[in-house]
Amino acid sequence: MNSSFPKHLLALLFLSLLPGPAAWAQKKNPASIATSTPDVERRVVELLARMTLEEKVGQLNQYSGREVTGPASDRKNTLLASIRAGQVGSMLNVKGVKDTREIQAEALKSRLKIPLLFSLDVIHGYQTTFPIPLGEAASWDLEAIRLGAHVAAREAAASGIHWTFAPMVDIGRDPRWGRVMEGAGEDTYLGSLIAKARVLGFQGEKLGGTDAVMACAKHFAAYGAAIAGRDYNAVDMSPQQLWEVYLPPFKAAADAGVATFMNSFNALNGIPATGSAYLQRDILKGQWQYPGFVVSDWGSIGELVNWGYAADKTAAAQKAITAGSDMDMESDAYHKNLAQLVQTGQVKIDLVDDAVRRVLRKKFELGLFDDAYRFSDEQREKQVLSDPQNRAAARRMAQKSFVLLKNENATLPLTKPLRRVALIGPLAKAKRDLNGSWTVDTDTTRITSLYEGLRQRAGKTTELLYAKGCEITGDSRAGFEQAIATAKNADLILLTVGEAWDMSGEAKSRTDIHMPGAQEELFQALKATGKPVAVVVFGGRPLIFDTIAEQADAILYAWWPGSEGGTALADVLYGDYNPAGKLPITFPRSMGQIPIAYSQQYSTGRPITRPGEIRYKSAYIDAPNTPRYAFGYGLSYTTFNYSDLKISRPQMRTGESVQVSFTLTNTGNVAGEEVTQFYLRDPVASVVRPLKELKDFRKISLRSGESKTVTFTIDKDKLAFYNSKLEWVAEPGKFNFMVGSASDDIRLEGSMELL
Ligand code: GLC
């Protein structure tokens, strides 16, 4: 590899040789990820000693900069005056070299010339948009996920951004909650590994490099468990659930060196997270010894008043700083109240000093005191944003994110000679929708639609017909006739349905996750033509689409695939890439089944023991217990066989381990990848345990006919859980293990004993 080979790709090449998630879990944080150094600590202490109380409070204020770079306005003038007076520590939503240089120059007019931190929601890409995080999670490809975050960080860091408000590591089990699109799905083990991959991707090999940004683990904590799936709602849960399911991805992020945390809008067991000393001081800064800082979510300090947790904003400021919220995003509560709270003895200056030290430490680690403009270099911005590697990485990740849910009679890939394909549906030519929500770039000239991707790929061999058929929402059937006529002229119908980009995301909870509008009726009308119908579904969450699920010939779930979505879809639809995605979240048959995460399934005292025999059993009388599509489910254009299960020994003691191995064979005609999943169950324990929990997985690539031996290791930690005293224990006894292609497609199983 010559020296000009890009450093980040060299690193990823090396890491891609790692055997898989288990290696990830063990991989130590790269020593180069900067925590503090003696020099940084010295400089922080020296600077803090020179700061007035007002200047200290100034570092704890963060404002959105949409106005500050726009035309003159009162808000702009006020903000610029505060920045010049050293009363602002960070700005969000200021991006690009030109604007960040301009605003940083204002900050350097302050007495102590403390530079600003520029932050932005770079959730799944900066200019090159990657699939939404839930789609990336469906790849189960930690290296690809890391690379996606790294590309996003390179582009953002080249554009003046120091800090992204990502990864969102909230476990999301409730598809009514629109923010499931932003996380890694319902599983703690997968979500923890993805949290680590994203942190290391965003922060690079060394925090402070100009190809990396500070990451932010959010939203701390348990935000995804909002009652009724309604955003910003309260959360009630047992300590076991909090520690076993919702906290581990945050701990994984902290262990990976994440520079910051963001707290959450929800209350947890009666205490708003922003005002929770249990979360922010006892757990994060206490037990976990976390050295970074916590930023509040937008206005959440002020919202303590709405919660009825603080009588007014002064009390809110007092409760938040005391609870460990270091920086105040956009509520102005600290700006208006914190100095006076210190002067009147209601808040100890030590708390303010601790918060300020944490913020200053990051500014030193980023090198901003040495060169406040080091992330704002016009030449680098141009060079990095035009790097073709970025879109190539986005295309590869999009290919990996797609989940093949159905493929009858080998409808896909489109390899048979097809004279005409009718591309129909409201999302066939969509561009903006393909970037989904939480996208930085909405320039549709940089987004390839499915129509464009197919046109490029089909070339002269296949004529591509098109009709919209209907809108995404609304019940108009005015376009059906033309769609049917178009379909009748084709050999195959490719129907594109789903959600618009703003139907999932923040503040997008839905009481009904059925396919919106008349899209399923359009499907039925097209199916009635007798032509084969392959369906591509776009969306930010699991959707319910019974008719399509039962009657379509093929279904490909595409999430929101980003800038290269159309190209990547064409690659998969034409078989240039064999899909290998697996669902990171369960798809229910009906709303009534929610919550239905696979690891929320227990034996109960009345399990169904014979299919269909549900009298006086834990069952519904109007629907099965099983989901439409299970966690971990996804098909391929090839097939895989699992055989030859072996266990290194039937028993182990604490401190020992057991290896479970088996042979995986590609029994189909094309090369492909299989995500083999390893689940464990503790059938008898001091607290009842789920029927299965994911404890390991491997993504294995096999040529047609090829076999490989796959090995999983069981150690004490994989057998452990929180007991009723909240102790992390592995109790002696028998454990069942299951190896499979999905949580509901177990191919091999056995048991072992912990002595
Ligand atoms: C939003 C989101 C948070 C985001 C922040 C800044 O309300 O909850 O995830 O980072 O505000 O945009």
Side-chain angles (χ1 to χ4, degrees):
M1 215 71 68
N2 60 37
S3 58
S4 64
F5 192 81
K7 187 164 48 91
H8 61 289
L9 290 179
L10 200 62
L12 294 176
L13 194 65
F14 158 70
L15 288 163
S16 66
L17 302 177
L18 291 172
W24 266 81
Q26 266 78 47
K27 200 157 63 79
K28 288 284 164 278
N29 311 331
S32 61
I33 289 250
T35 48
S36 190
T37 63
D39 178 52
V40 165
E41 285 312 299
R42 177 183 54 76
R43 296 174 76 183
V44 167
V45 169
E46 278 170 8
L47 179 52
L48 190 71
R50 295 166 50 209
M51 294 172 77
T52 66
L53 175 56
E54 285 67 24
E55 287 165 335
K56 290 178 181 178
V57 171
Q59 288 304 303
L60 309 184
N61 297 324
Q62 180 185 62
Y63 295 99
S64 176
R66 286 201 181 91
E67 294 83 357
V68 80
T69 55
S73 70
D74 291 350
R75 163 99 169 140
K76 175 171 182 174
N77 299 336
T78 310
L79 260 178
L80 287 175
S82 298
I83 290 170
R84 289 184 205 109
Q87 292 174 1
V88 180
S90 168
M91 294 296 290
L92 68 142
N93 298 330
V94 176
K95 67 185 179 73
V97 163
K98 177 179 169 300
D99 286 352
T100 51
R101 291 190 78 92
E102 187 186 308
I103 303 306
Q104 193 69 288
E106 297 303 311
L108 298 184
K109 292 174 185 168
S110 62
R111 183 177 79 91
L112 293 171
K113 304 185 184 331
I114 300 176
L116 290 168
L117 284 173
F118 289 109
S119 54
L120 187 68
D121 291 287
V122 184
I123 308 297
H124 53 111
Y126 176 77
Q127 177 174 285
T128 304
T129 305
F130 281 71
I132 55 171
L134 191 59
E136 289 194 328
S139 73
W140 295 54
D141 187 327
L142 299 170
E143 273 316 296
I145 290 168
R146 172 180 171 141
L147 178 58
H150 180 64
V151 169
R154 281 187 74 224
E155 291 190 349
S159 310
I161 300 301
H162 307 128
W163 176 21
T164 178
F165 297 131
M168 185 270 223
V169 302
D170 302 304
I171 292 295
R173 294 171 145 181
D174 188 334
R176 294 172 295 181
W177 187 53
R179 298 195 81 163
V180 290
M181 55 73 54
E182 209 177 325
E186 70 187 39
D187 184 73
T188 300
Y189 178 78
L190 178 61
S192 300
L193 286 169
I194 289 176
K196 177 175 204 158
R198 287 185 168 139
V199 168
L200 296 179
F202 282 124
Q203 297 191 165
E205 294 157 25
K206 182 177 183 319
L207 188 61
T210 51
D211 63 348
V213 293
M214 292 202 300
C216 179
K218 71 182 186 182
H219 305 79
F220 195 61
Y223 181 33
I227 293 170
R230 200 174 79 231
D231 210 350
Y232 313 128
N233 204 354
V235 170
D236 271 330
M237 74 171 55
S238 68
Q240 281 80 1
Q241 181 96 164
L242 175 66
W243 280 92
E244 209 159 276
V245 177
Y246 290 86
L247 288 181
F250 288 98
K251 183 66 168 57
D255 290 347
V258 71
T260 64
F261 265 58
M262 181 185 292
N263 59 33
S264 55
F265 288 120
N266 59 287
L268 173 61
N269 299 335
I271 310 290
T274 304
S276 170
Y278 174 62
L279 286 174
Q280 299 176 125
R281 291 215 183 277
D282 298 353
I283 298 175
L284 182 62
K285 297 174 180 177
Q287 287 184 51
W288 295 355
Q289 287 293 297
Y290 180 66
F293 70 87
V294 178
V295 63
S296 75
D297 202 340
W298 187 296
S300 66
I301 293 176
E303 290 176 11
L304 297 180
V305 179
N306 300 341
W307 272 109
Y309 188 67
D312 53 32
K313 262 192 161 177
T314 304
Q318 191 268 339
K319 283 175 176 273
I321 192 74
T322 306
S325 295
D326 298 306
M327 186 179 279
D328 173 3
M329 181 195 295
E330 269 290 338
S331 88
D332 217 26
Y334 285 3
H335 182 47
K336 292 247 174 47
N337 299 285
L338 200 46
Q340 184 226 347
L341 284 164
V342 171
Q343 284 152 350
T344 55
Q346 297 171 77
V347 167
K348 288 194 176 57
I349 185 63
D350 308 3
L351 296 183
V352 173
D353 285 350
D354 176 64
V356 176
R357 262 195 296 274
R358 290 168 182 269
V359 173
L360 293 179
R361 197 173 284 144
K362 293 304 164 200
K363 296 186 176 183
F364 278 111
E365 283 177 30
L366 287 171
L368 295 177
F369 282 96
D370 304 321
D371 174 2
Y373 301 106
R374 62 192 296 262
F375 286 77
S376 301
D377 174 305
E378 209 134 347
Q379 202 44 46
R380 187 169 66 238
E381 183 179 44
K382 284 199 187 77
Q383 184 258 321
V384 171
L385 292 187
S386 60
D387 184 346
Q389 290 279 7
N390 301 344
R391 288 186 74 98
R395 178 173 177 175
R396 267 197 308 282
M397 172 46 93
Q399 292 166 350
K400 294 168 180 277
S401 69
F402 303 142
V403 183
L404 184 61
L405 297 177
K406 188 178 184 183
N407 192 24
E408 309 274 294
N409 318 313
T411 303
L412 293 177
L414 306 174
T415 41
K416 293 169 290 309
L418 291 164
R419 284 178 304 109
R420 288 196 190 90
V421 170
L423 179 61
I424 296 175
L427 287 151
K429 291 192 171 181
K431 284 172 168 278
R432 172 66 191 85
D433 295 300
L434 265 57
N435 272 9
S437 49
W438 284 120
T439 180
V440 174
D441 188 47
T442 55
D443 180 343
T444 54
T445 62
R446 288 194 277 255
I447 303 170
T448 307
S449 71
L450 174 54
Y451 181 76
E452 291 165 333
L454 285 172
R455 280 281 297 272
Q456 286 161 19
R457 180 65 182 72
K460 300 275 178 284
T461 53
T462 304
E463 186 186 353
L464 193 58
L465 311 178
Y466 166 74
K468 189 171 191 176
C470 68
E471 299 302 329
I472 292 169
T473 55
D475 56 10
S476 166
R477 288 156 177 72
F480 279 31
E481 193 178 337
Q482 195 218 329
I484 293 164
T486 304
K488 283 180 175 170
N489 276 334
D491 305 309
L492 176 136
I493 300 162
L494 191 56
L495 174 64
T496 62
V497 292
E499 285 186 317
W501 68 270
D502 58 355
M503 296 177 77
S504 282
E506 181 177 356
K508 304 293 182 189
S509 295
R510 291 175 64 184
T511 59
D512 182 356
I513 59 170
H514 278 86
M515 184 64 67
Q519 299 181 88
E520 281 217 275
E521 287 76 8
L522 174 62
F523 165 78
Q524 281 177 297
L526 295 172
K527 184 67 186 164
T529 65
K531 307 278 183 180
V533 186
V535 180
V536 174
V537 186
F538 292 106
R541 69 173 91 208
L543 294 174
I544 296 173
F545 42 93
D546 297 325
T547 308
I548 289 172
E550 278 145 25
Q551 299 176 27
D553 298 281
I555 304 169
L556 189 69
Y557 216 78
W559 313 103
W560 282 314
S563 310
E564 285 288 309
T567 325
L569 276 166
D571 295 334
V572 168
L573 291 168
Y574 274 90
D576 300 340
Y577 180 84
N578 182 357
K582 300 280 187 180
L583 295 179
I585 188 169
T586 302
F587 279 49
R589 294 174 190 276
S590 72
M591 299 298 296
Q593 289 182 312
I594 296 168
I596 186 175
Y598 87 95
S599 55
Q600 289 175 297
Q601 307 307 313
Y602 294 84
S603 176
T604 78
R606 299 201 170 184
I608 297 174
T609 49
R610 283 200 307 277
E613 181 262 289
I614 62 168
R615 273 169 54 79
Y616 297 107
K617 300 289 183 185
S618 180
Y620 303 101
I621 59 171
D622 59 354
N625 291 357
T626 54
R628 168 64 66 187
Y629 302 113
F631 172 81
Y633 172 76
L635 301 174
S636 166
Y637 292 149
T638 187
T639 51
F640 296 97
N641 185 53
Y642 290 59
S643 62
D644 199 17
L645 182 70
K646 291 193 180 73
I647 184 166
S648 58
R649 57 169 130 182
Q651 297 171 329
M652 64 177 255
R653 298 180 188 293
T654 299
E656 296 174 341
S657 67
V658 164
Q659 278 65 44
V660 174
S661 64
F662 69 99
T663 302
L664 183 72
T665 304
N666 178 343
T667 46
N669 305 323
V670 293
E673 297 160 293
E674 168 75 329
V675 177
T676 67
Q677 299 151 47
F678 184 69
Y679 296 92
L680 276 169
R681 180 193 178 192
D682 188 345
V684 179
S686 62
V687 291
V688 295
R689 304 299 306 146
L691 286 174
K692 57 172 76 80
E693 294 176 283
L694 181 73
K695 295 294 182 182
D696 207 339
F697 63 87
R698 290 279 186 289
K699 185 165 188 174
I700 306 289
S701 182
L702 292 171
R703 294 185 307 280
S704 170
E706 185 183 9
S707 292
K708 276 181 188 165
T709 300
V710 184
T711 301
F712 295 116
T713 296
I714 301 173
D715 57 20
K716 174 180 174 290
D717 220 35
K718 294 212 165 135
L719 306 176
F721 59 89
Y722 285 100
N723 65 13
S724 53
K725 298 193 198 80
L726 218 46
E727 296 155 338
W728 181 248
V729 296
E731 296 174 348
K734 179 180 162 211
F735 289 83
N736 300 330
F737 58 81
M738 297 147 266
V739 177
S741 185
S743 59
D744 70 343
D745 183 4
I746 298 303
R747 304 292 181 87
L748 302 167
E749 49 192 312
S751 61
M752 48 77 68
E753 185 179 7
L754 175 66
L755 299 177

